[in-house]
Amino acid sequence: MVTLQETHVMQQILPSGSAKTATLPSGLRLPYVEHGDPAGLPVVFLHGITDSWRSWEPVLSRLPRSIHAFAPTQRGHGDADHPATGYRFANFAADLAAFMDGLGIERAVVAGHSVGSQVAQRFAMDRPERALGLVLVGSVTTWKGNPVVAEVWESGFATLTDPIDPAFVREFQDSPRLPRARLDVVVQESLKAPARIWREVWQAMMTTDYSAELGKIAAPTLIVWGDQDPLCPRAEQDALTAAIRDARLIVYPGGGHNLHWEEPERFADDLLTFVNQLDFRIPTMPSKQG
């Protein structure tokens, strides 16, 4: 049974919302925000490495109430619990299923950024009946063998220790099109993740390859890519589009890896166009909220 606790949320971001904590059957506690009409289309937003639910603030504030949005902080990140193990994509995907179970969400569109996009892929492959659609941002078929990912590991992640230098975090998260105020929030949230989480999740990126299974994804999929993304080359976008049977690619000229921060209004519009093509008549499970 999922139990809920109310905490404060920045009112200027989600004026009608409040942050809650979902406690999964494993005992794992995940903060999340919920926004929109409970009768609306469920969309679950998954952040990238070292981020939190706050990664999606710029997008959530631009969504209509017809979208019933959920943005959890994943294990090891932000104010979520930091268990000693469980940082493979399959672990995060299992957490997502338990999170949805507890909130009575039978099916949802899952939007994932970066590592969150890999979690979304794994979820859709393992539980195809529960993925109404996918939105993949800054995604690939695999990061295994990616020279940029390997270089980032060798140049800093491999030897990262606590306390993490804020200057290192700022350099890692920065991009030319990212507003300074958003960068400040991102750095603040990233510093909440211990160094071991940075290392373990990055190692999962470097060693995981389930590209041969992508044909299992039956959900309609929107792939959103910035053509200046250093981690996700164009060849990977073409391969991802070809591997998923019902996938469409949108390219943001000049965009980097964090499109939902750089162009949140356009991203929200593209997401809405995509979900408006889906079947909104979604059965819901009885809620297990405590």
Side-chain angles (χ1 to χ4, degrees), residues 107 279-283:
R107 301 178 71 199
D279 185 359
F280 277 58
R281 293 171 296 176
I282 307 166

Side-chain angles (χ1 to χ4, degrees), residues 8-18 34-35 57 60-62 65:
H8 178 69
V9 169
M10 294 178 63
Q11 294 301 306
Q12 66 269 31
I13 300 297
L14 297 175
S16 62
S18 61
E34 181 178 356
H35 182 60
E57 282 180 320
L60 296 177
S61 64
R62 290 171 166 83
R65 289 191 58 79

Side-chain angles (χ1 to χ4, degrees), residues 113-125:
H113 168 241
S114 195
V115 164
S117 76
Q118 298 292 103
V119 176
Q121 291 176 28
R122 186 72 265 169
F123 178 82
M125 289 187 284

Side-chain angles (χ1 to χ4, degrees), residues 2-262:
V2 168
T3 58
L4 306 177
Q5 296 174 326
E6 302 288 338
T7 55
H8 178 69
V9 169
M10 294 178 63
Q11 294 301 306
Q12 66 269 31
I13 300 297
L14 297 175
S16 62
S18 61
K20 306 172 183 178
T21 298
T23 303
L24 306 188
S26 64
L28 187 69
R29 294 172 297 180
L30 305 180
Y32 73 99
V33 290
E34 181 178 356
H35 182 60
D37 187 342
L41 178 71
V43 181
V44 181
F45 293 87
L46 302 177
H47 60 77
I49 184 171
T50 78
D51 296 327
S52 71
W53 70 262
R54 297 198 65 184
S55 175
W56 294 102
E57 282 180 320
V59 174
L60 296 177
S61 64
R62 290 171 166 83
L63 295 178
R65 289 191 58 79
S66 59
I67 299 297
H68 191 190
F70 299 86
T73 297
Q74 300 183 87
R75 67 165 63 205
H77 295 74
D79 294 318
D81 285 346
H82 301 161
T85 60
Y87 295 100
R88 309 295 296 182
F89 299 150
N91 301 122
F92 292 118
D95 289 343
L96 173 58
F99 175 81
M100 289 172 58
D101 286 347
L103 294 178
I105 306 168
E106 183 172 348
R107 301 178 71 199
V109 174
V110 181
H113 168 241
S114 195
V115 164
S117 76
Q118 298 292 103
V119 176
Q121 291 176 28
R122 186 72 265 169
F123 178 82
M125 289 187 284
D126 293 343
R127 300 164 178 84
E129 74 285 356
R130 305 197 68 177
L132 181 64
L134 297 182
V135 180
L136 307 178
V137 190
S139 194
V140 290
T141 65
T142 179
W143 273 298
K144 188 175 182 179
N146 184 305
V148 177
V149 170
E151 180 184 355
V152 171
W153 173 257
E154 293 297 336
S155 64
F157 274 53
T159 57
L160 197 63
T161 58
D162 294 316
I164 300 174
D165 183 355
F168 173 84
V169 178
R170 186 168 293 271
E171 181 180 3
F172 171 70
Q173 293 284 26
D174 197 11
S175 67
R177 304 173 71 182
L178 182 60
R180 296 302 93 182
R182 173 52 30 187
L183 178 60
D184 290 343
V185 171
V186 169
V187 170
Q188 173 188 327
E189 292 299 294
S190 293
L191 286 169
K192 295 178 180 179
R196 65 180 176 85
I197 305 300
W198 290 63
R199 295 194 307 269
E200 290 191 40
V201 178
W202 204 266
Q203 284 179 313
M205 291 173 62
M206 293 190 300
T207 59
T208 301
D209 183 358
Y210 47 66
S211 55
E213 301 179 66
L214 291 173
K216 296 178 181 179
I217 297 178
T221 300
L222 178 66
I223 301 167
V224 186
W225 176 66
D227 65 7
Q228 300 302 308
D229 187 337
L231 293 177
C232 305
R234 175 61 192 247
E236 275 295 308
Q237 309 312 300
D238 295 336
L240 192 58
T241 305
I244 299 174
R245 68 186 76 170
D246 184 7
R248 179 167 65 95
L249 173 66
I250 293 179
V251 179
Y252 284 34
H257 189 61
N258 305 303
L259 296 175
H260 59 310
W261 302 344
E262 297 173 14

